[in-house]
CSV table of all heavy atoms in Angstrom, one decimal:
chain,number,residue,atom,x,y,z
G,166,VAL,N,70.1,104.1,74.3
G,166,VAL,CA,69.4,104.0,73.0
G,166,VAL,C,70.3,103.3,72.0
G,166,VAL,O,71.6,103.3,72.3
G,166,VAL,CB,68.9,105.3,72.5
G,166,VAL,CG1,67.9,106.0,73.4
G,166,VAL,CG2,70.3,106.3,72.5
G,167,ALA,N,69.7,102.8,71.0
G,167,ALA,CA,70.6,102.1,69.9
G,167,ALA,C,70.0,102.5,68.6
G,167,ALA,O,68.7,102.7,68.4
G,167,ALA,CB,70.6,100.6,70.1
G,168,TRP,N,70.7,102.5,67.4
G,168,TRP,CA,70.4,102.9,66.2
G,168,TRP,C,71.4,102.5,65.1
G,168,TRP,O,72.5,102.3,65.5
G,168,TRP,CB,70.1,104.3,66.1
G,168,TRP,CG,71.2,105.4,66.1
G,168,TRP,CD1,71.8,105.8,65.1
G,168,TRP,CD2,72.0,105.7,67.3
G,168,TRP,NE1,73.0,106.6,65.5
G,168,TRP,CE2,73.0,106.6,66.9
G,168,TRP,CE3,71.8,105.5,68.7
G,168,TRP,CZ2,74.0,107.1,67.9
G,168,TRP,CZ3,72.7,106.0,69.6
G,168,TRP,CH2,73.7,106.8,69.2
G,169,ARG,N,70.9,102.5,63.9
G,169,ARG,CA,72.0,102.3,62.9
G,169,ARG,C,72.4,103.7,62.3
G,169,ARG,O,71.7,104.7,62.2
G,169,ARG,CB,71.4,101.4,61.7
G,169,ARG,CG,71.2,100.0,62.1
G,169,ARG,CD,71.0,99.2,60.6
G,169,ARG,NE,70.8,97.8,61.0
G,169,ARG,CZ,71.8,96.9,61.1
G,169,ARG,NH1,73.1,97.3,61.0
G,169,ARG,NH2,71.6,95.7,61.4
G,170,ALA,N,73.7,103.8,62.0
G,170,ALA,CA,74.1,105.1,61.6
G,170,ALA,C,73.8,105.5,60.3
G,170,ALA,O,74.2,106.7,59.7
G,170,ALA,CB,75.7,105.1,61.8
G,171,GLY,N,73.2,104.7,59.5
G,171,GLY,CA,72.7,104.9,58.1
G,171,GLY,C,71.5,104.2,57.7
G,171,GLY,O,70.9,103.4,58.7
G,172,ASP,N,71.0,104.4,56.5
G,172,ASP,CA,69.8,103.8,56.1
G,172,ASP,C,70.0,102.4,55.5
G,172,ASP,O,69.1,101.6,55.5
G,172,ASP,CB,69.1,104.6,55.1
G,172,ASP,CG,68.6,106.0,55.5
G,172,ASP,OD1,68.2,106.0,56.7
G,172,ASP,OD2,68.8,107.0,54.9
G,173,ALA,N,71.3,102.0,55.2
G,173,ALA,CA,71.5,100.7,54.7
G,173,ALA,C,71.5,99.6,55.7
G,173,ALA,O,71.5,99.9,57.0
G,173,ALA,CB,73.1,100.6,54.2
G,174,ALA,N,71.0,98.4,55.2
G,174,ALA,CA,70.7,97.3,56.2
G,174,ALA,C,72.0,96.9,57.0
G,174,ALA,O,71.9,96.5,58.1
G,174,ALA,CB,70.2,96.1,55.4
G,175,ASP,N,73.1,97.2,56.4
G,175,ASP,CA,74.4,96.8,57.1
G,175,ASP,C,75.0,98.1,57.6
G,175,ASP,O,76.2,97.9,58.0
G,175,ASP,CB,75.4,96.0,56.2
G,175,ASP,CG,75.7,96.9,55.0
G,175,ASP,OD1,75.0,98.0,54.7
G,175,ASP,OD2,76.7,96.5,54.2
G,176,ALA,N,74.4,99.1,57.8
G,176,ALA,CA,74.9,100.3,58.4
G,176,ALA,C,75.4,100.1,59.8
G,176,ALA,O,74.9,99.2,60.6
G,176,ALA,CB,74.0,101.5,58.3
G,177,PRO,N,76.5,100.7,60.3
G,177,PRO,CA,77.0,100.4,61.7
G,177,PRO,C,75.9,100.6,62.7
G,177,PRO,O,75.2,101.5,62.5
G,177,PRO,CB,78.2,101.4,61.8
G,177,PRO,CG,78.6,101.7,60.3
G,177,PRO,CD,77.3,101.6,59.5
G,178,ILE,N,76.1,99.8,63.8
G,178,ILE,CA,75.0,99.9,64.9
G,178,ILE,C,75.8,100.8,66.0
G,178,ILE,O,77.0,100.4,66.3
G,178,ILE,CB,74.6,98.6,65.3
G,178,ILE,CG1,73.8,97.8,64.3
G,178,ILE,CG2,73.8,98.8,66.7
G,178,ILE,CD1,73.5,96.3,64.7
G,179,LEU,N,75.2,101.7,66.6
G,179,LEU,CA,75.7,102.6,67.6
G,179,LEU,C,74.8,102.3,68.8
G,179,LEU,O,73.6,102.2,68.7
G,179,LEU,CB,75.8,104.0,67.3
G,179,LEU,CG,76.7,104.3,66.0
G,179,LEU,CD1,76.7,105.8,65.7
G,179,LEU,CD2,78.1,103.9,66.2
G,180,CYS,N,75.4,102.3,70.1
G,180,CYS,CA,74.5,102.2,71.2
G,180,CYS,C,75.1,103.2,72.2
G,180,CYS,O,76.2,103.0,72.6
G,180,CYS,CB,74.6,100.8,71.9
G,180,CYS,SG,73.7,100.7,73.4
Side-chain angles (χ1 to χ4, degrees):
V166 291
W168 70 99
R169 285 196 183 273
D172 295 327
D175 60 348
I178 298 174
L179 303 177
C180 178

